[in-house]
Short mmCIF file of all heavy atoms in Angstrom, two decimals:
data_model
loop_
_atom_site.label_atom_id
_atom_site.label_comp_id
_atom_site.label_asym_id
_atom_site.label_seq_id
_atom_site.Cartn_x
_atom_site.Cartn_y
_atom_site.Cartn_z
N VAL U 27 83.14 146.36 55.44
CA VAL U 27 84.26 147.26 55.15
C VAL U 27 85.43 146.85 56.02
O VAL U 27 85.28 146.61 57.22
CB VAL U 27 83.87 148.73 55.46
CG1 VAL U 27 85.03 149.66 55.21
CG2 VAL U 27 82.66 149.13 54.66
N SER U 28 86.60 146.80 55.40
CA SER U 28 87.79 146.44 56.18
C SER U 28 88.20 147.59 57.08
O SER U 28 87.87 148.76 56.83
CB SER U 28 88.94 146.08 55.24
OG SER U 28 89.35 147.23 54.53
N SER U 30 91.23 148.75 57.55
CA SER U 30 92.16 149.65 56.85
C SER U 30 91.41 150.54 55.84
O SER U 30 91.77 151.69 55.65
CB SER U 30 93.25 148.84 56.15
OG SER U 30 92.67 147.99 55.17
N TRP U 35 89.52 155.88 54.46
CA TRP U 35 88.43 156.81 54.11
C TRP U 35 88.44 158.02 55.03
O TRP U 35 88.21 159.16 54.59
CB TRP U 35 87.10 156.07 54.21
CG TRP U 35 85.91 156.95 54.05
CD1 TRP U 35 85.41 157.47 52.89
CD2 TRP U 35 85.06 157.44 55.10
NE1 TRP U 35 84.29 158.24 53.15
CE2 TRP U 35 84.06 158.24 54.52
CE3 TRP U 35 85.04 157.26 56.48
CZ2 TRP U 35 83.07 158.86 55.25
CZ3 TRP U 35 84.05 157.88 57.21
CH2 TRP U 35 83.08 158.66 56.60
N LEU U 36 88.73 157.80 56.33
CA LEU U 36 88.76 158.92 57.28
C LEU U 36 89.86 159.92 56.94
O LEU U 36 89.68 161.12 57.12
CB LEU U 36 88.98 158.41 58.70
CG LEU U 36 87.79 157.84 59.44
CD1 LEU U 36 88.22 157.37 60.84
CD2 LEU U 36 86.68 158.85 59.55
N ASP U 37 91.00 159.42 56.47
CA ASP U 37 92.14 160.29 56.19
C ASP U 37 92.08 160.93 54.81
O ASP U 37 92.89 161.79 54.50
CB ASP U 37 93.45 159.50 56.32
CG ASP U 37 93.71 159.08 57.76
OD1 ASP U 37 93.20 159.75 58.68
OD2 ASP U 37 94.43 158.08 57.96
N ILE U 40 88.77 166.05 51.37
CA ILE U 40 87.47 166.35 50.78
C ILE U 40 87.66 166.49 49.26
O ILE U 40 88.61 167.14 48.80
CB ILE U 40 86.90 167.66 51.36
CG1 ILE U 40 86.59 167.48 52.83
CG2 ILE U 40 85.66 168.09 50.62
CD1 ILE U 40 86.14 168.75 53.52
N LYS U 42 86.88 167.71 45.33
CA LYS U 42 86.59 169.02 44.76
C LYS U 42 85.09 169.24 44.65
O LYS U 42 84.59 170.34 44.88
CB LYS U 42 87.22 169.14 43.37
CG LYS U 42 88.71 169.22 43.37
CD LYS U 42 89.25 169.33 41.96
CE LYS U 42 90.76 169.31 41.95
NZ LYS U 42 91.27 169.36 40.57
N ALA U 45 83.71 170.03 48.09
CA ALA U 45 84.15 171.37 48.49
C ALA U 45 83.30 172.43 47.78
O ALA U 45 82.90 173.43 48.40
CB ALA U 45 85.62 171.58 48.16
N LEU U 54 73.61 179.30 49.25
CA LEU U 54 72.18 179.00 49.33
C LEU U 54 71.56 179.56 50.60
O LEU U 54 70.50 180.16 50.57
CB LEU U 54 71.96 177.48 49.30
CG LEU U 54 71.85 176.82 47.95
CD1 LEU U 54 71.81 175.32 48.10
CD2 LEU U 54 70.64 177.30 47.21
N GLY U 60 67.92 185.98 52.60
CA GLY U 60 67.75 187.33 52.07
C GLY U 60 66.40 187.55 51.40
O GLY U 60 65.98 188.68 51.22
N PRO U 68 64.04 176.42 41.90
CA PRO U 68 64.25 177.11 40.61
C PRO U 68 64.74 178.55 40.77
O PRO U 68 65.64 179.01 40.06
CB PRO U 68 62.87 177.06 39.95
CG PRO U 68 62.19 175.90 40.56
CD PRO U 68 62.68 175.86 41.97
N LEU U 70 66.21 179.88 43.48
CA LEU U 70 67.54 179.88 44.09
C LEU U 70 68.59 179.53 43.04
O LEU U 70 69.69 180.10 43.03
CB LEU U 70 67.60 178.89 45.25
CG LEU U 70 66.94 179.34 46.54
CD1 LEU U 70 66.94 178.21 47.56
CD2 LEU U 70 67.64 180.55 47.12
N LEU U 74 71.73 181.84 42.05
CA LEU U 74 73.10 181.33 42.10
C LEU U 74 73.80 181.53 40.76
O LEU U 74 74.97 181.89 40.71
CB LEU U 74 73.12 179.85 42.48
CG LEU U 74 72.84 179.52 43.94
CD1 LEU U 74 72.66 178.02 44.11
CD2 LEU U 74 73.97 180.02 44.83
N SER U 82 73.04 172.90 38.71
CA SER U 82 71.74 172.59 38.11
C SER U 82 70.65 172.74 39.16
O SER U 82 70.93 172.79 40.36
CB SER U 82 71.74 171.15 37.57
OG SER U 82 71.85 170.24 38.64
N VAL U 83 69.41 172.79 38.71
CA VAL U 83 68.28 172.88 39.63
C VAL U 83 68.24 171.63 40.50
O VAL U 83 67.96 171.71 41.70
CB VAL U 83 66.94 173.03 38.86
CG1 VAL U 83 65.76 173.03 39.80
CG2 VAL U 83 66.95 174.30 38.04
N LEU U 89 70.84 169.89 47.61
CA LEU U 89 71.52 170.62 48.68
C LEU U 89 70.52 171.26 49.63
O LEU U 89 70.75 171.30 50.84
CB LEU U 89 72.46 171.68 48.09
CG LEU U 89 73.65 171.14 47.30
CD1 LEU U 89 74.43 172.28 46.68
CD2 LEU U 89 74.55 170.29 48.18
N HIS U 91 67.62 170.02 50.35
CA HIS U 91 67.13 168.91 51.16
C HIS U 91 68.14 168.57 52.26
O HIS U 91 67.77 168.34 53.41
CB HIS U 91 66.86 167.69 50.28
CG HIS U 91 66.35 166.52 51.02
ND1 HIS U 91 65.06 166.45 51.50
CD2 HIS U 91 66.96 165.36 51.39
CE1 HIS U 91 64.90 165.30 52.13
NE2 HIS U 91 66.04 164.62 52.07
N ILE U 95 66.29 173.18 53.98
CA ILE U 95 65.71 174.44 53.51
C ILE U 95 64.48 174.14 52.67
O ILE U 95 64.52 173.30 51.78
CB ILE U 95 66.73 175.24 52.67
CG1 ILE U 95 67.89 175.70 53.54
CG2 ILE U 95 66.06 176.41 51.99
CD1 ILE U 95 68.98 176.40 52.75
N TYR U 103 52.61 187.94 52.90
CA TYR U 103 51.87 189.13 52.51
C TYR U 103 51.23 189.86 53.68
O TYR U 103 50.39 190.71 53.49
CB TYR U 103 50.81 188.75 51.48
CG TYR U 103 51.41 188.07 50.28
CD1 TYR U 103 51.26 186.71 50.09
CD2 TYR U 103 52.17 188.78 49.37
CE1 TYR U 103 51.84 186.07 48.99
CE2 TYR U 103 52.75 188.17 48.27
CZ TYR U 103 52.57 186.81 48.10
OH TYR U 103 53.15 186.19 47.03
#
Side-chain angles (χ1 to χ4, degrees):
V27 178
S28 67
S30 62
W35 172 77
L36 281 179
D37 292 335
I40 294 175
K42 290 180 184 178
L54 273 173
L70 283 174
L74 285 171
S82 66
V83 176
L89 294 175
H91 180 74
I95 293 176
Y103 304 106

